[in-house]
Structure formats: structure tokens, C-alpha cells
Amino acid sequence: MNNHHPELFRRHERNPILTAADWTYPINSVFNPGAARLPDGTTLLLCRVEDRRGQSHLCAARSADGKGDWQIDPQPTLSADPKNFPEEMWGIEDPRITYLPELSKYAVVYTAYTREGPGVALALTEDFRRFERYGVIMPPEDKDAALLPRRIGGRWALIHRPVSSPRANIWISYSPDLRHWGGHKLMLECRRGGWWDANKIGLSPPPIETPAGWLMIYHGVRQTAAGSLYRLGLALFDLNAPDRCLKRSDEWFFGPEAHYELHGDVGNVVFPCGCTIAPDGDTINVYYGAADSSIALATGSVRALLEWLG
Ligand code: BMA
């Protein structure tokens, strides 16, 4: 156990880096973005934008340094399409982006808000302008999902979080073609009792491939008399058998502290869906929704995260 708490994630000095006021069309809030570093070095955020009906769509914002001067698409980049995909009737949320070298495409795995609750949907894209939709790939209630970048033992791997009430654990499932899924395995279980990650956990950004294993930042939800507290912990998984957990932090290392994390539409929430790794291979930029209202950036080191995990 650690007795000292190193600052593993440093908040950007100009946080929040994106708010509803930055949008070119009227919106309620912008949060929980997926992230990708494009081949030319541009950082792309696929932001969850909530309109004033209460429904979400996705909108791209691009920045040369991943910190400022964001170029925001003048209209929604990916909207719900309930005519062709009735599962998206109440909007689409919380995208996680993984680049798939085998297909030379990005996989965007997002939440489709169906009549029966959240489900997991997939779209592929080369340019974040045109999208090839696969529809719902995991039925409700399921969310917090992302693909691994390459096949494991010949099959694609999807991390996701089905709810088996009253608890919600992280699972991994496999597919030969991204459409048919099976081989379901429990990947990480929520703790019980008074733990910070008791009863409900979920994947945050897609896992980061390191020589030591897949490094996962995950969120734990603590129910309190004052509402839910969303905080982040770490776990490490075997590169060739990703359902095998090698290490897991006992403690959370990042939680709501700044005013924009404590106050907003849903206070006490830090919720990253994306991160980028700088060309040095170590610096990690984590983009997170703050209090379901704005987008903030925190920076750390993959090496330091692994060291802290022990
Ligand atoms: C989770 C998701 C996130 C949201 C968080 C806090 O269940 O719905 O989109 O940011 O709750 O409200």
C-alpha cells in the first residue's frame, strides 16, 4: 500500500479546455470525449454533445497541440440515426476510439441509448467524416466499451460492461468479424462493501499497450448519501490473454477535486473516454468529461502509472 500519493495526473492550467460556449451551434453541454492522434499529429476529440432536448450526438474537435485552438465541426459529426438504427432512439454517447492497423480504420465504439437502456454500438471510419455503422453489437444493458487494436488468437476483442444487477463488472468478448460475438469472459470484478470501486466499475479510455501488459484506466463508482462519486484506478492485463488480470490498484489515483469536476449537471464526476500517447511513447494526455458539463485534460506518464501499480 502507498502511504504517499504522487500526483499521477496533472490538470491542464487552462481547464476546462472545451465547454458549451465554444460550440458554433446551441448545445447544453459537452463531455466524455473519445480521442485519437491522427497520422499528421493532430489530436482529434470525438465529443459527446448533449442538446437541450437531453439527447446526445458526437462532434469532432481538432487541435494541433491537443491543448488549445480547437477546430470544432460546424454541425454534428455523427448523429443518432433512429430511422435505420431504432436502437439509437434516445441518442448516442461516450465514444471510445481504437485504431485498427489491420483494417486501416478507426473503430468508434459508443453507447446507443435504446428504449431498453444503454447498449454498445460500433462504427468504423477512416476520416471521422464518413462512418460505416455496424449497429448494436452488445444489447442493453451494456456500455463503457472499446476494441483492442489487434486480434488476440485470431479474434477481435471487445471490452464492455454489462449490468448484472445489482452489480456491474467488466467483461471481454471475442469475434471473428466484428459482428458476431462470443467467448465471453469476466475481466475485472467490482469490489464490495466500502471500497471506492464497490458494486460498479467500467472501462475508461481504451487500454494502453505496454511491454508489461494492457494498462487499463477504469472508473469506480461509490454510492454515497450525497450521490455517486466517479474516481479512477488502474489494472494491468496479460498481453496475450487479456482476461487475465496481473495487477490492480487498491487505491484510486484521480478523482473530482477541481471546481469544474465538483459542480455541473452531474457533480463529482471525472469520466475519461480517450487518451493519446505523445511521440515520446510515455506522455499520456487523458481527456475527460468533468461533471457531465465540460471537457478537461490531465497529463501523466505511462511509466509512472506502471511504477505506481508496483
Ligand atoms: C455514467 C455514464 C456517463 C456519465 C456518468 C455520470 O453512467 O452515463 O456518461 O458521465 O454516468 O453521470
Side-chain angles (χ1 to χ4, degrees), residues 31-32 48 56 93-94 96 111 113 118 141 143-144 161 200 219 221 228 230 265-273 289-293:
F31 53 112
N32 302 3
R48 169 177 172 188
S56 294
E93 308 177 347
D94 300 1
R96 272 87 170 178
T111 300
Y113 199 160
E141 185 176 338
K143 61 181 357 183
D144 297 330
R161 205 285 310 276
K200 190 175 175 188
H219 58 267
V221 186
S228 306
Y230 280 75
D265 278 0
V266 185
N268 288 315
V269 176
V270 291
F271 201 92
C273 293
D292 283 10
S293 293

Side-chain angles (χ1 to χ4, degrees), residues 4-308:
H4 60 290
H5 298 273
E7 194 192 32
L8 291 175
F9 279 0
R10 186 163 310 220
R11 289 172 175 82
H12 190 254
E13 61 209 359
R14 289 197 304 276
N15 271 352
I17 56 166
L18 283 166
T19 70
D22 297 311
W23 251 247
T24 50
Y25 55 95
I27 64 171
N28 172 55
S29 52
V30 54
F31 53 112
N32 302 3
R37 200 167 180 281
L38 305 182
D40 68 356
T42 301
T43 297
L44 176 138
L45 297 184
L46 196 56
C47 308
R48 169 177 172 188
V49 171
E50 191 182 284
D51 64 28
R52 291 181 65 151
R53 295 173 306 165
Q55 299 189 9
S56 294
H57 61 266
L58 309 182
C59 186
R62 295 171 175 81
S63 157
D65 66 2
K67 295 177 179 141
D69 195 18
W70 294 94
Q71 306 299 313
I72 299 166
D73 279 359
Q75 58 213 15
T77 308
L78 185 66
S79 294
D81 179 9
K83 226 165 147 195
N84 296 307
F85 296 89
E87 302 78 24
E88 300 181 349
M89 72 176 294
W90 288 323
I92 58 176
E93 308 177 347
D94 300 1
R96 272 87 170 178
I97 301 170
T98 304
Y99 184 67
L100 310 179
E102 180 186 324
L103 304 180
S104 304
K105 287 176 184 165
Y106 296 90
V108 181
V109 175
Y110 57 94
T111 300
Y113 199 160
T114 81
R115 204 193 294 271
E116 309 302 324
V120 176
L122 167 69
L124 299 185
T125 184
E126 287 174 42
D127 54 9
F128 293 94
R129 298 189 199 282
R130 282 169 311 143
F131 294 85
E132 194 184 329
R133 293 169 114 106
Y134 280 60
V136 167
I137 55 172
M138 286 291 162
E141 185 176 338
D142 203 333
K143 61 181 357 183
D144 297 330
L147 277 176
L148 293 185
R150 55 182 170 79
R151 296 174 190 258
I152 308 288
R155 296 177 301 172
W156 298 106
L158 180 82
I159 299 170
H160 57 115
R161 205 285 310 276
V163 173
S164 18
S165 207
R167 274 176 284 281
N169 299 313
I170 299 177
W171 286 69
I172 187 163
S173 302
Y174 295 92
S175 169
D177 57 4
L178 298 173
R179 290 189 190 277
H180 304 91
W181 295 90
H184 314 291
K185 287 200 168 192
L186 183 59
M187 190 176 184
L188 194 70
E189 233 174 313
C190 59
R191 290 175 169 122
R192 309 284 281 269
W195 283 90
W196 68 274
D197 55 356
N199 302 321
K200 190 175 175 188
I201 57 172
L203 175 72
S204 280
I208 301 145
E209 189 167 3
T210 77
W214 298 102
L215 178 62
M216 179 195 281
I217 300 171
Y218 74 96
H219 58 267
V221 186
R222 174 93 189 258
Q223 302 298 341
T224 78
S228 306
L229 261 170
Y230 280 75
R231 295 185 287 216
L232 305 179
L234 290 180
L236 189 71
F237 298 86
D238 190 296
L239 282 181
N240 298 316
D243 58 286
R244 238 188 69 178
C245 182
L246 306 174
K247 288 175 184 177
R248 180 183 191 169
S249 66
D250 277 348
E251 301 182 345
W252 51 271
F253 71 97
F254 191 75
E257 277 175 29
H259 67 92
Y260 49 86
E261 299 161 355
L262 299 173
H263 306 288
D265 278 0
V266 185
N268 288 315
V269 176
V270 291
F271 201 92
C273 293
C275 62
T276 60
I277 307 289
D280 66 11
D282 184 57
T283 305
I284 174 172
N285 288 319
V286 177
Y287 297 91
Y288 61 99
D292 283 10
S293 293
S294 63
I295 292 177
L297 164 63
T299 301
S301 144
V302 173
R303 197 173 6 89
L305 293 174
L306 287 170
E307 268 167 26
W308 182 74

